Amino acid sequence: MPNLLRPVALATVALLSACGARQTPPVTEPVATTAAAPSTAAPTPPTLRLPKDVRPKGYAVELTLDPKASAFQGVAEIGLDVSKPTTVVWLHGKNLTVKQATLTQGGTPREATVHRSEAGDFLGFSVKEPLTLGTAKLRVVYEGIASEKETDGAFRVNEGGDWYVFTQFEPIDARRVFPCFDEPEFKVPWQFTFHVPAGNVAVTNTPQLAEEARPDGGRTYRFGRTQPLPSYLIAFGVGPFDFLEAADSGQKKVKTRIITPRGRTVEGTYAAKVTPEILAALEAYFGIPYAYEKLDVIAVPLLGGAMEHPGLVTFNSQLMLSKPEEDSIGRQRAFSETQVHELGHQWFGNLVTLAWWDDLWLNESFASWVTPRIVESWQPTWDAPVERVQDRSRSLDADSLLSARRIRQPIDSANDIHNAFDGITYGKGSAVLTMTEEWLGREVFRKGIQRYMKKHAHANATAKDFLDALSAEAGQDVTGVLSTFLDQGGAPLVTATLECGAGQPKVVLTQQRYLRLGSKAPQPQTWKVPVCVKYAVGNKDAKACTVLEGERAEVALTEANTCPAWVFPNAEGAGFFRIQLAGEAAKKLTKAGMARLSRAERVALLGDVRALALAGALPASEALALAERSAHDPDRVIVESTMEMLDLVSTRLLPESRHADRARFLRETYGPRARELGFVPRKGESEDTRLLRPRVIRLAGRDGADPKLVAEAKGLADKWLVNPAAVDPEMVDAVLSIASAHGDAAFQQKLLTAVRSEKDRSRRGDMILALSGFVDPELVKQNLGLVFEKGMDPRETVWMAFAASQHVKTQGVAFDFVTKNYDKLVGDSPDALLPQDAAGRLSFVGRAFCGEEQRKALAEFFTPRAEKAPGGPRTLAQVLESVDQCVALKAAQAQSVESFLDGRVTHPQPKLQKTR
């Protein structure tokens, strides 16, 4: 699953109720009703991981589901391998009502007594006489719930007036749908049968074997046996789906389909086109064909991001589907890149599966790494290698927190599992792999991956397995370098000093942990850092590489006969570290080297300059001056990189009296390009121009308050409410964002009226996004009432609170809303809007705070609640540390920022070159 929405997403819930007949599952053999065991005789349940004395051999599951009803019925038959005599078999099971349970061994069925753990995640099935070594079978008849409160486990969605059931099990939610061994190392075959009402279709990981009529008018669907899979990779959907056939995919020509809600197949046209192309590119890289029997891609409303289930890849419907007349380049690229990630998982995670969640990076880091690697050859104009450097810089930001995880963080509790899906696992892991690939060479790295895949196909693997395979291909032990990045938090700041004495010119490298202002330095840390220094040799460029293993190393610039005109100690931005040029090296690069840097290196430099300012090692005014100069560059990715630097001039750092000066800076810096581009795309312009237009117009209009842009956006927003075709699809977000930020009560009421009656989820989402953009505190208070309004789905509307928390004028409103309504928002009670599993992320509502009193209120409210929330303690620690960093940055750099605003002189803007 990609890090689009899910790792930081808040799965919210609806209060809607549904009616519908429940169907009884067929019972093939009589089983005695299970009696509850006396609590005094209950065996001790596991606390995190299941015991290994009983393991699954395979599952056969029958489910009876009606998408109109919340309850479903199940019968699970689980083949067991008993390696040690035992009287109890422990499985995972959560919120399941067990009706009957039988353990059979040697042909003799025995009634099993059911035991529940206090935490609610474990089910024990005990018998009086111990099971002996050998095989056995557990049969469980049970009932579960398909929730309207969330998007995990089995959940229900009403789309276009039809009800659907979908699933999302990663990491630990398969246990909500069937009793199972819900850990990734238990990788075995599964087989499914579904009983559904007339008019509904069932789909799952494998091809359908049979469809049969039922006496009640419904249908039974039987599916083939899966290849060995862990529980988190199982998926199914039930509803009135439509199917769009795509070209057969891969070397094996597997059947490929796009599955949509009823009547929407035309919206899957782009997905059908590119999915076979992407699979072919991945097969070519791995040298191993796609391993599964079919490839369905299914649109799931409200899902956060996407999920890589073999044979049934799930996608957020708005990411995957679009009416052709409403489509945009941005959506198409987002879908394609996400699809590369998900299909990359068919090898990283599905074919070879992590043994335990501490090695989640073997799934997510690799799928994130392979995405730009495939895109750069499949779609070379998309700038994947350069955008990778932007992603690297964001990952370094996440890693600047002392409270950040390691890539291979030990998993000691369920909290650690929830926290594992973060920017460290996805982003830092991906960037470290890129650094390793450039250090060893791309072909060596590729052969290491292929060796690893072939050895562990259809099985589980660990970090050691991968490192052993890579070391074998590299002809050297790579563990020393990689372990310093995998097994400790943080990233190095590498300082480079150019020395040109009597001998050979050289660069002296030193390292220490990079820390922002506000984070207290821990014990000294060092890494084994592959570093490549790029430098000038006359009119040519040369490169010298080393591994910086201690606090200091020297790199001889062997091709330089005289002192180089400039050096850059992170060639192509491939290294996962921040750089600082000391002494003359910084001046030389500024004077003679900037034009010689590659686009990726310029992006890396801009990110590192920003990072130095955030660490207090460079005046913010110098960083902002560089951003201002670079903002006029014709290259889209350079301009976008300057936008990343604007947190140095955030309103959080400035008194309200200086907000107008900030807006003027943004308006004068980005406004001329925005006004020249305009709101309407022109025929024949480049894709880069079309991608940059909404970003620069939104910035200059919303934050810069450019009067021309604001007036035009307001007019277009009014027209869009009447006719969606009045605004180009690529510009809807920018138009509504500007109009709402400068909107009044009249525009707000138009939006509220429209959103309450809008049936189209995508258009309704645009309206909710617009309502999220208001900055008038009173209007924001009114908008947040939608979260509790009957007829609105809180899984859509709760985002407004988090949007409001990002603006200095409304962050207090958002905090008050969450804290005053906490017990209504989260909990296990039927009246709570969000499940308890979502509580851990509610503290994000205070992440944009930048004051001591705000921090105190945040800590006082959330500390006792975070202890009880899944993933809550680490999330709150990171939020509080982020506030500390902002407070320290404000104290250290606010004067420099104000000096920059004071010292700006409005010059005639340079003539804008055509966007690259």
Side-chain angles (χ1 to χ4, degrees), residues 725-739:
V727 178
D728 185 87
E730 294 171 350
M731 295 302 298
V732 170
D733 173 50
V735 164
L736 296 179
S737 176
I738 296 169

Side-chain angles (χ1 to χ4, degrees), residues 142-301:
Y142 65 97
E143 187 171 277
I145 298 296
S147 175
E148 288 178 64
K149 289 189 171 186
E150 53 206 303
T151 53
D152 293 311
F155 60 96
R156 299 192 306 134
V157 177
N158 188 297
E159 186 78 355
D162 295 317
W163 282 97
Y164 298 83
V165 173
F166 300 100
T167 59
Q168 169 57 42
F169 294 158
E170 188 183 32
I172 52 173
D173 289 306
R175 62 192 67 179
R176 298 187 185 195
V177 179
F178 23 73
C180 60
F181 294 76
D182 199 11
E183 296 176 18
E185 76 168 278
F186 298 115
K187 192 173 182 181
V188 297
W190 299 67
Q191 190 157 20
F192 283 90
T193 299
F194 297 90
H195 308 288
V196 304
N200 290 275
V201 179
V203 292
T204 187
N205 301 78
T206 53
Q208 179 182 308
L209 297 180
E211 178 183 351
E212 304 161 8
R214 290 169 51 82
D216 61 5
R219 311 294 291 179
T220 292
Y221 293 91
R222 303 185 190 279
F223 293 88
R225 196 169 185 244
T226 72
Q227 297 182 49
L229 294 178
S231 52
Y232 81 87
L233 286 176
I234 298 301
F236 62 80
V238 175
F241 298 114
D242 281 342
F243 300 83
L244 174 63
E245 300 285 339
D248 292 347
S249 294
Q251 297 174 26
K252 297 180 179 179
K253 301 296 182 184
V254 297
K255 185 178 181 65
T256 303
R257 303 180 299 180
I258 305 301
I259 305 175
T260 75
R262 192 205 305 264
R264 297 180 63 184
T265 55
V266 69
E267 298 178 41
T269 302
Y270 183 81
K273 173 185 179 296
V274 300
T275 294
E277 297 175 6
I278 292 169
L279 193 72
L282 285 160
E283 284 187 335
Y285 182 84
F286 290 115
I288 301 170
Y290 174 72
Y292 303 98
E293 296 81 5
K294 69 176 177 75
L295 177 54
D296 285 340
V297 186
I298 185 169
V300 180

